[in-house]
Amino acid sequence: MKIKSYAGMCLAFTLFAACSFVNAPDPVKGAGEGGEGGEGGTGAGGGVPSPCGNGVYQTGEECDDGNDVETDGCLSTCKKAKCGDGFVWEGVEGCDDGNMVNDDGCTNTCKLSTCGDNTIQEGEDCDDGNQDDTDVCTSACKTATCGDGFVHAGIEACDDGNTDDTDGCLQGCNVATCGDGFVQVGVEECDDMNLSNTDACVACKNAVCGDGHVRAGVEECDDGNLLGGDGCGPGCTLDNLLPQCMSYGVLDEADRNVNYSGSVVCDSNLIGEGWYRFMGAAGTQMPTFPPPHYACGTDAPGWVQDPYPAAQGQVVNATVCFNWINGTCEWSSAIQIAHCGSYYVFYLPLTPVCSLRYCGTN
C-alpha cells in the first residue's frame, strides 16, 4: 500500500515539471504568452522602464506629453516649460533667451523689450514707462533735449524741432521776443538786441520820421506825425515856433472840462501866472461860450469872449469872463492866446476871487 502511494507522487511531480518547462519565460519576449510587454515594456514582469517622451508620467519627470516639441508646456526633457529655459513657450512667452539679463532685448518675464516698459534697453537713452512727451524722457525713449520737437514742461518755453532763429521759437527753446537779437520773419523789421528808442531800430521796426521817437543824430524832433506848424515839421526838423509854444504848463484834469460838475475848485490856487496848454481829459482849448453855473468843477466857469489868433505864430490879447448869477461876465481876467500850429497856449493870471476857474473843452 505504501509502495503504490509513492509511485503516484512521482508521476504527479514528473508531469508538473514537464508542464513548467513548456511554459517557461522566453528571455527575449518576456513573460510567457502574455509577455507582449517585452516589446512595449508594460507587460507584467516586463523589461527596462520606458524613457521620457512615451506619454507616461514616470518617477523623476515633471511632465511627459509624448512629443519632442519644445514650444509647448512640456519640454523634450520632460521638464515643465518656464521663462529662462531657452525655449519660447508658444502663446505664453514673447521671447526666451535662457538668461535672467533684463536689458538684452528679452526681459526676465520673457517679454520682448519695448520703449515704455520701464527698462532701458540697447538703443534707448531712457525708459520711464510712460508715453508722456513733456517730461525728461520722451515716448521714443530719448532724453528730452531742446530741438526734439517736444516742450519739456518747466524747462522749455517752446520747441519747434528746428534750429531756425527767425521763427517764433529760438534755438535755446525760448519764445522769440523783440530785443532778443534775432529778426522774426513776418513779425519784426529789425532786432538790435536792445530796447532803445533813439537808434535805427525802434520796437523792432525800422526808425522813421513820424514814429514818435527822436532818432539821435538824425532827427531834431519827432512828434508822431508828419504835419507842419505844430513845432515839429514833416522832415522831423523843428518848426519856427514862439518861445511860449516850447515851454508851458499843462492843464489836463478831467474835472476842468465843461462837461464835468461836482467838486468846487478855484484857480486862484494855480501854480502861478504863466503860459498853459489844455490837454488830455480837460480838452484842447477854452470854450468861446458861457458854460453853465457849476460846470468844470467850480462855481463860476471861465470862457473866452474874444476871437482866437488865426495864424501860426500869432499872439492876441483876450478876455476871460466868468459866468455867475449877475451875468455871463460877472468877473473877468485879461489873458493872451498864442497860436502854436496844431494847438494854442494861454497866458493865464490867477483868478480874481474864488471860486472861479478856467474851463477846457474839446
Side-chain angles (χ1 to χ4, degrees), residues 87-336:
F87 301 102
V88 179
W89 187 356
E90 188 174 350
V92 177
E93 300 174 333
C95 59
D96 196 318
D97 54 5
N99 64 52
M100 289 290 104
V101 178
N102 207 33
D103 59 357
D104 59 356
C106 185
T107 68
N108 289 344
T109 58
C110 289
K111 296 182 183 298
L112 287 171
S113 298
T114 58
C115 177
D117 61 12
N118 208 31
T119 302
I120 299 176
Q121 305 291 337
E122 185 177 354
E124 297 179 338
D125 295 337
C126 56
D127 196 319
D128 55 4
N130 65 56
Q131 298 297 307
D132 187 358
D133 282 320
T134 66
D135 58 12
V136 72
C137 187
T138 70
S139 61
C141 288
K142 299 296 181 183
T143 302
T145 58
C146 178
D148 58 16
F150 304 108
V151 179
H152 190 179
I155 305 296
E156 299 173 335
C158 60
D159 196 318
D160 55 4
N162 65 54
T163 57
D164 186 1
D165 280 323
T166 64
D167 57 13
C169 187
L170 305 182
Q171 286 190 52
C173 288
N174 296 312
V175 176
T177 59
C178 179
D180 57 22
F182 301 101
V183 179
Q184 191 174 349
V185 176
V187 178
E188 300 172 334
E189 295 178 357
C190 58
D191 197 316
D192 54 4
M193 204 180 297
N194 67 58
L195 298 178
S196 173
N197 289 328
T198 62
D199 57 13
C201 188
V202 177
C204 290
K205 303 291 182 184
N206 293 322
V208 295
C209 177
D211 60 16
H213 303 285
V214 178
R215 186 176 175 186
V218 177
E219 300 172 334
E220 292 180 355
C221 59
D222 196 317
D223 57 1
N225 64 60
L226 299 178
L227 301 175
D230 59 358
C232 188
C236 286
T237 57
L238 291 171
D239 283 343
N240 293 322
L241 293 178
L242 299 168
Q244 53 266 48
C245 294
M246 305 296 290
S247 178
Y248 47 76
V250 173
L251 302 176
D252 59 1
E253 308 95 323
D255 61 5
R256 187 178 289 277
N257 194 283
V258 294
N259 295 318
Y260 179 88
S261 62
S263 59
V264 178
V265 183
C266 182
D267 274 345
S268 62
N269 297 320
L270 275 176
I271 295 175
E273 183 172 326
W275 289 98
Y276 290 90
R277 178 180 174 183
F278 289 84
M279 298 180 70
T284 57
Q285 63 187 66
M286 292 187 66
T288 55
F289 56 87
H293 301 160
Y294 307 112
C296 64
T298 193
D299 289 338
W303 60 283
V304 177
Q305 70 171 2
D306 299 304
Y308 275 70
Q312 181 182 347
Q314 184 180 4
V315 181
V316 299
N317 294 320
T319 299
V320 170
C321 290
F322 298 94
N323 183 22
W324 191 233
I325 298 172
N326 295 321
T328 58
C329 200
E330 186 164 342
W331 295 278
S332 65
S333 293
I335 69 165
Q336 288 184 310

